[in-house]
């Protein structure tokens, strides 16, 4: 059974193939989409974390309402980012209403904090994504989540999804970029000249502008 993490930002024991969910999500469309596909354990006091998918990997979920309301979500992200015990993934509802605010959270999450951000259009889409992340965990050769540390498949999948969201990149060019620049830090430091052989001049300029323009 899962145990509360100290102050919500420490490691938590997550049964293999399960997800530990903050009780505030009980009855939501997000959880309804997961029922019957993965096993869900509810816990109180997970704030700022919304879900744990493994002992050291957690999800922070930013809703459309959170984005429209302002920058209140930033405190939660910073709390998890400052915890050396956790790898946080940020899932954000990118809808017609919240799209104008998406660029700000994308840059804050990816560039300022160095965290992975995955956009979704709805809670049902988020359900499918979270199920996929949990299933990636179950492919680990070791069933002890404390042994997987950062060499899990999930960060690779999440990093790929993040790079796909950079303007002009998409699903085809993202894997090519990661072969050449295997981290966000390396990609953000790449010059247009270094990027051009991989994605062409136009996309190289888009990428360079994304990482260098004021935010």
């Amino acid at each position: 059974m899962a145990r509360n993490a100290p102050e919500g930002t420490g490691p938590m024991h997550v049964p293999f193939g399960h997800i530990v969910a903050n009780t505030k999500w009980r009855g939501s469309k997000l959880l309804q989409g997961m029922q019957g596909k993965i096993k869900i354990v509810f816990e109180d006091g997970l704030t700022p974390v919304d879900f744990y998918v493994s002992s050291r990997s957690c999800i922070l979920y930013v809703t459309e309402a959170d984005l429209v309301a302002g920058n209140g979500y930033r405190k939660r992200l910073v709390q998890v980012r400052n915890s050396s015990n956790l790898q946080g993934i940020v899932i954000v509802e990118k809808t017609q209403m919240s799209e104008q605010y998406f660029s700000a959270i994308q840059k804050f999450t990816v560039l300022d904090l160095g965290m992975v951000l995955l956009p979704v259009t709805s809670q049902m889409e988020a359900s499918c994504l979270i199920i996929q992340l949990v299933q990636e965990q179950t492919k680990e050769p070791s069933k002890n989540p404390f042994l997987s540390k950062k060499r899990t498949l999930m960060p690779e999948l999440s990093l790929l999804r993040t790079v796909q969201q950079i303007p002009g990149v998409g699903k085809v060019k993202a894997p090519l970029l990661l072969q050449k620049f295997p981290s966000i830090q390396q990609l953000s430091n790449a010059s247009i000249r270094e990027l051009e052989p991989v994605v062409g001049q136009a996309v190289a300029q888009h990428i360079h502008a994304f990482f260098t323009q004021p935010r």
Side-chain angles (χ1 to χ4, degrees), residues 78-130:
V78 171
Q79 278 183 271
V80 172
R81 175 62 182 84
N82 290 341
S83 170
S84 60
N85 297 317
L86 287 177
Q87 178 211 353
I89 293 176
V90 183
I91 296 181
V92 181
E93 289 183 6
K94 183 183 180 184
T95 65
Q96 188 173 1
M97 182 180 294
S98 66
E99 188 167 9
Q100 61 181 307
Y101 308 99
F102 181 76
S103 178
I105 188 173
Q106 183 181 41
K107 290 180 179 178
F108 178 73
T109 304
V110 177
L111 302 187
D112 295 346
L113 300 183
M115 297 174 71
V116 170
L117 181 148
L118 304 176
V120 294
T121 58
S122 66
Q123 290 192 10
M124 290 306 294
E125 182 182 342
S127 298
C128 296
L129 176 59
I130 293 172

Side-chain angles (χ1 to χ4, degrees), residues 87 89 116 137 150 152-160:
Q87 178 211 353
I89 293 176
V116 170
Q137 293 292 311
K150 292 187 177 180
T152 63
L153 296 175
M154 187 177 65
E156 299 173 13
L157 170 69
S158 304
L159 180 60
L160 179 63

